[in-house]
Amino acid sequence: MGDLELLLPGEADLLVRGLRSFQLREMGSEGWNQQHENLEKLNMQAILDATASQGEPIQELLVTHGKIPTLVEELIAVEMWKQKVFPVLCRLEDFKPQNTFPIYMVIHHEASIINLLETVFFHKEVCESAEDTILDLVDYCHRKLTLLVAQSGHGGPSEEEESQYSTPMQELQKQAELMEFEIALKALSVLRYITDCVDSLSLSTLSRMLSTHNLPCLLVELLEHSPWSRRERGKVLLPCLSKLQQFESGHWQTVVPSEQQKLSKLDGQVWIALYNLLLSPEARARYCLTSFAKGQLLKPQPSFQTLGLSTASHWPPRTPLQLRAFLTDTLLDQLPNLADLQGFLAHLALVEAQSPKKDLVLEQMPEIWERLERENRGKWQAIAKHQLRHVFSPSEQELRLQARRWAETYRLDVLEAVAPERPRCAYCSAEASKRCSRCQNEWYCCR
């Protein structure tokens, strides 16, 4: 990976030092675009370093210069822009941009930041350096996972549905919806890394996770619905004859029958987070197992995907009695630590539920979202009109200059190096090394 190094150590240090927060009306401006490009370079370099397993200087620089809180604030700011300003922008009648790519970069900014946080939050010191903003990050992850559970019944649009959007703004709105799904999955990974640090989290953060948001129950909902798994739509009536698909590496992949008992990465993240929140000493001391929480943790009828079973070999399905049926021998072989969780659930089924309690009188509250909303309340349309005139209506010369800068940032050799995995053959799904010379999109394992 050394020949693909994107940033020299001195360059990375300079870019990290220059990270700062922007106001909502500044998003898409020249200074904001420069920071977005810098973040993309840091993001790709962090992935290259993590892949090469030769130290992670980007993570060390972010901690040394105290920039994790800045990234969290920028993450929440662009989330608010997407919720409050972007819909107003889409409704403006006089907004007919010749090129929607400048707006797309603002929408993509959230994905860039959460991807960088996912890469560096693997290290415990990064979570500790977030300081008070860890509360805001926990709230952010909770919002994304709640949205993921709410949309779990939709599974994801088919290719036919994606091609129905004709106007540039309609296509942009659809791309934003698709990106939201991937961002939520990244937020799940970040939340799991936060749960790895429960022994060093503040009482306010633990209370926020366990009492205010009741994250264990939310994780059970994710296990039940498994929104990253779906059955391929078709004319087949029997589920046992349809193909199982899982969302991995940015797209839906068909799982061959021999791999359907293998635990997916996202299911593994949920199980580990649930284990941390239920069995770590600090969390167990804070979590009140009320009758509602007990009922959710022992919820019946788990899905086949989470059970790790091939539906074709178990039809008609057996109805398990409790959540403990998720913890099959196949799952325990892959995550042996879950045997302790299995014993905890067995014990929970026999004990009485606890009465609700709230013994934390002075509780610290997240402030970034509320502060941004207070500063910009009633100004959403004014911000949209300002950005329409000064940001998202660039001249042809400005577009060419931006395109040149984007081409320098998104180098093809680096993009291929940071890809999550090797491309798969469009015919047999094996690892592919030959790209189609006609369409330049499909890959094949042989001629």
Side-chain angles (χ1 to χ4, degrees), residues 30-44:
E30 183 177 354
W32 183 93
N33 271 316
Q34 182 61 59
Q35 176 157 299
H36 174 74
E37 293 169 13
N38 295 341
L39 273 172
E40 287 288 10
K41 292 177 182 178
L42 292 171
N43 191 11
M44 289 186 284

Side-chain angles (χ1 to χ4, degrees), residues 86-260:
F86 181 57
V88 177
L89 203 60
C90 293
R91 291 195 299 266
L92 293 177
E93 296 180 357
D94 54 343
F95 184 52
K96 297 179 181 179
Q98 296 179 349
N99 193 307
T100 58
F101 202 69
I103 312 176
Y104 176 82
M105 298 309 293
V106 180
I107 296 173
H108 185 262
H109 192 61
E110 183 181 6
S112 300
I113 298 176
I114 192 65
N115 193 77
L116 178 58
L117 291 177
E118 181 194 25
T119 305
V120 301
F121 253 79
F122 176 80
H123 303 275
K124 186 175 181 179
E125 56 268 23
V126 176
C127 183
E128 295 173 349
S129 70
E131 300 176 347
D132 294 342
T133 59
I134 196 69
L135 282 166
D136 299 273
L137 188 56
V138 167
D139 270 29
Y140 172 86
C141 294
H142 176 260
R143 288 193 295 270
K144 295 300 179 182
L145 298 188
T146 302
L147 182 64
L148 192 61
V149 171
Q151 296 178 343
S152 60
H154 304 290
S158 61
E159 295 180 358
E160 293 78 8
E161 292 173 332
E162 293 177 14
S163 62
Q164 291 176 359
Y165 298 86
S166 54
T167 68
M169 289 305 296
Q170 287 176 325
E171 291 179 0
L172 188 63
Q173 287 177 283
K174 193 58 189 177
Q175 289 172 343
E177 293 176 10
L178 294 173
M179 199 180 300
E180 196 68 26
F181 178 72
E182 299 185 44
I183 290 172
L185 299 183
K186 298 288 184 181
L188 172 61
S189 297
V190 172
L191 180 65
R192 176 251 145 150
Y193 294 137
I194 294 176
T195 64
D196 287 342
C197 307
V198 290
D199 58 333
S200 59
L201 295 177
S202 65
L203 291 179
S204 296
T205 305
L206 277 177
S207 177
R208 195 81 180 166
M209 297 170 69
L210 299 173
S211 301
T212 306
H213 297 317
N214 204 340
L215 288 180
C217 291
L218 180 59
L219 293 173
V220 171
E221 288 290 328
L222 284 173
L223 282 176
E224 180 185 6
H225 295 289
S226 190
W228 45 84
S229 300
R230 70 181 184 185
R231 288 287 168 178
E232 188 179 30
R233 298 172 187 156
K235 299 180 180 179
V236 181
L237 296 178
L238 292 176
C240 58
L241 300 179
S242 60
K243 295 181 180 179
L244 174 65
Q245 293 184 323
Q246 289 180 346
F247 192 87
E248 289 186 10
S249 305
H251 60 279
W252 290 96
Q253 299 180 6
T254 300
V255 183
V256 297
S258 60
E259 295 288 327
Q260 289 186 9

